[in-house]
């Protein structure tokens, strides 16, 4: 099969109940576009029956299934998909049908007509729990700040990328990455369209709050040194505060005498705790960076492909 016009990349982690419905809806959409296409599904080390179901899909010539050795996470899985995709326009989406496949032609159309490099999407009437939406708000705000690109919704994976942006992304070999933000490094013309959002078809999200916090840190740490700078400013403010406080204590000591100063010892303890706490926090943030430097320095592959299944193999 030669170069396709459109490739769809779908990472799959424990989605056995969603997969048949996904393909039932995706296939007709792709066929209706009247373009050559390929669908690349990446099994990100699923523990359920997903891989077997995926292999079944390779009966049709347009479907490729990438079997990863183990679970590497959604963004690494997408990178693996990118490495195999061979198309002009590459669309990513989730397997849980929260992004309706019916929106794909819209993204492709906008990309072609406006000659964009990246077309993102804004989830209209987002169907997620508040606990899931609030962290996303923060992520969106931070992402806008640090990439300097004013996209509204970064978390929605239903996105279209131009082939040149994708090939530059694969060359990055970053572990801690956030694909929509990474893409902005290489994309010149970026836009967003509104898309529908649905409840997860079946199963539950594999993003608990802890994973979201980690993802947030990946995003911030791999694109800016903002946290480190904040700590520096905080440190300066705290020193200034400490100096002022010292002067205040000295004056109070002169005015009210030694008795008062001795009684103030507990205040000092309180101050000490604040400072020690801040120091630990600062160390923690620095540790996050060092941890990531360590991961990058080891130069392990971000993912390992066990096998690519397709009709011919
Ligand atoms: N996913 C993955 N590897 C993981 C976690 C998730 O490939 O370790 C896939 C998952 O199968 C789905 C997409 O990434 O297609 C988004 O995951 P999920 O629906 O759990 O996240 P949410 O919609 O809550 O952001
Ligand atoms: Mg989902």
């Amino acid at each position: 099969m030669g170069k396709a016009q459109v490739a769809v990349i779908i990472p799959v982690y424990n989605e056995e109940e969603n997969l048949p419905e996904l393909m039932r809806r995706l296939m007709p959409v792709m066929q209706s576009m009247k373009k050559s296409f390929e669908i690349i599904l990446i099994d990100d080390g699923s523990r359920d029956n997903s891989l077997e179901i995926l292999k079944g899909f390779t009966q049709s010539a347009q479907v490729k299934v990438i079997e990863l050795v183990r679970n590497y996470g959604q963004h690494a899985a997408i990178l693996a998909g990118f490495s195999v995709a061979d198309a002009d326009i590459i669309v990513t989406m989730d397997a849980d049908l929260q992004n309706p496949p019916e929106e794909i032609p819209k993204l492709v159309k906008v990309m072609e007509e406006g000659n964009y490099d990246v077309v993102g999407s804004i989830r209209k009437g987002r169907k997620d729990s508040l606990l899931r939406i609030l962290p996303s708000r923060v992520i969106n705000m931070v992402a806008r700040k640090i990439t300097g690109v004013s996209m509204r919704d970064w978390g929605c994976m239903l996105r279209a990328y131009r082939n040149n942006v994708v090939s530059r992304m694969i060359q990055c070999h970053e572990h801690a990455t956030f694909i929509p933000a990474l893409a902005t490094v290489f994309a010149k013309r970026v836009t967003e369209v509104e898309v529908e959002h649905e409840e997860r078809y079946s199963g539950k999200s594999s993003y608990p709050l802890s994973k979201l916090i980690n993802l947030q840190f990946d995003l911030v740490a791999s694109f800016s040194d903002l946290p480190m700078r904040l700590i520096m400013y905080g440190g300066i403010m705290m020193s200034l505060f400490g100096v002022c406080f010292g002067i205040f204590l000295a004056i109070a000591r002169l005015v009210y005498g030694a008795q008062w100063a001795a009684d103030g010892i507990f205040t000092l303890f309180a101050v000490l705790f604040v400072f020690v706490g801040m120091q630990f926090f600062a160390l923690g943030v620095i540790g996050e960076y060092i941890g990531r430097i360590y991961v990058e320095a080891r130069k392990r592959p971000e993912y390992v492909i066990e096998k690519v299944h397709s009709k011919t193999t």
Side-chain angles (χ1 to χ4, degrees):
M1 200 168 72
K3 196 182 179 91
Q5 286 171 293
V6 183
V8 183
I9 310 276
I10 308 173
V12 173
Y13 180 58
N14 298 343
E15 307 275 10
E16 58 182 359
E17 283 149 26
N18 299 323
L19 292 173
E21 178 68 8
L22 173 73
M23 286 309 265
R24 195 188 64 72
R25 284 173 57 182
L26 180 60
M27 265 303 189
V29 171
M30 298 311 291
Q31 279 154 357
S32 73
M33 283 204 292
K34 305 265 177 286
K35 289 181 189 300
S36 59
F37 69 92
E38 59 178 356
I39 298 174
I40 298 175
L41 298 132
I42 305 99
D43 175 60
D44 188 16
S46 297
R47 286 158 199 276
D48 63 1
N49 213 17
S50 295
L51 181 62
E52 288 312 309
I53 299 174
L54 289 176
K55 282 189 197 161
F57 296 153
T58 58
Q59 302 233 304
S60 79
Q62 286 101 339
V63 178
K64 278 187 195 148
V65 170
I66 304 178
E67 178 184 347
L68 297 185
V69 170
R70 62 162 181 83
N71 179 252
Y72 294 95
Q74 182 186 0
H75 292 261
I78 294 175
L79 282 178
F82 282 165
S83 74
V84 170
D86 185 19
D88 299 321
I89 293 178
I90 295 159
V91 178
T92 58
M93 67 179 270
D94 288 350
D96 57 4
L97 288 161
Q98 288 197 282
N99 313 135
E102 291 76 21
E103 303 278 13
I104 294 176
K106 183 154 93 189
L107 292 187
V108 171
K109 191 158 166 272
V110 170
M111 171 161 271
E112 283 181 335
E113 284 174 359
N115 196 23
Y116 288 107
D117 293 321
V118 174
V119 179
S121 58
I122 303 168
R123 289 168 281 192
K124 246 189 315 195
R126 192 167 164 196
K127 307 267 191 327
D128 274 317
S129 67
L130 200 65
L131 211 68
R132 186 68 187 71
I133 291 180
L134 284 181
S136 297
R137 286 259 166 83
V138 182
I139 294 186
N140 284 335
M141 216 176 60
V142 174
R144 268 197 300 270
K145 269 261 152 4
I146 64 183
T147 58
V149 177
S150 61
M151 286 220 218
R152 262 173 57 197
D153 191 351
W154 291 83
C156 187
M157 278 299 154
L158 181 59
R159 283 162 179 275
Y161 303 97
R162 189 72 69 171
N163 160 312
N164 56 342
V165 175
V166 166
S167 55
R168 286 170 204 153
M169 280 198 275
I170 328 176
Q171 283 163 17
C172 282
H173 298 294
E174 284 185 36
H175 282 257
T177 200
F178 192 86
I179 306 253
L182 184 62
T184 62
V185 178
F186 307 113
K188 201 161 153 196
R189 290 173 51 77
V190 174
T191 189
E192 272 181 313
V193 294
E194 286 209 333
V195 295
E196 297 292 334
H197 193 239
E198 290 169 17
E199 303 263 7
R200 217 170 201 288
Y201 186 73
S202 171
K204 60 177 173 24
S205 166
S206 23
Y207 276 103
L209 194 62
S210 60
K211 251 188 173 174
L212 278 178
I213 291 174
N214 194 44
L215 191 68
Q216 166 83 39
F217 215 95
D218 280 348
L219 174 63
V220 176
S222 42
F223 289 92
S224 85
D225 50 5
L226 181 77
M228 288 206 263
R229 237 180 294 144
L230 282 181
I231 290 171
M232 195 187 69
Y233 293 141
I236 295 170
M237 298 296 284
M238 265 195 310
S239 321
L240 278 178
F241 171 76
V243 171
C244 295
F245 195 61
I247 294 172
F248 165 74
L249 282 179
I251 294 174
R253 160 75 175 71
L254 289 177
V255 176
Y256 299 110
Q259 191 62 44
W260 184 88
D263 288 342
I265 200 153
F266 294 116
T267 327
L268 284 177
F269 265 108
V271 172
L272 187 73
F273 279 129
V274 172
F275 280 64
V276 171
M278 288 304 290
Q279 269 174 352
F280 271 102
F281 175 69
L283 274 180
V285 175
I286 292 166
E288 288 277 354
Y289 277 93
I290 294 177
R292 279 166 171 77
I293 293 170
Y294 178 54
V295 167
E296 298 296 345
R298 277 192 308 220
K299 291 222 183 306
R300 287 196 193 143
E302 310 90 282
Y303 54 82
V304 178
I305 296 177
E306 175 80 41
K307 192 160 185 250
V308 179
H309 305 268
S310 64
K311 196 175 181 184
T312 42
T313 52

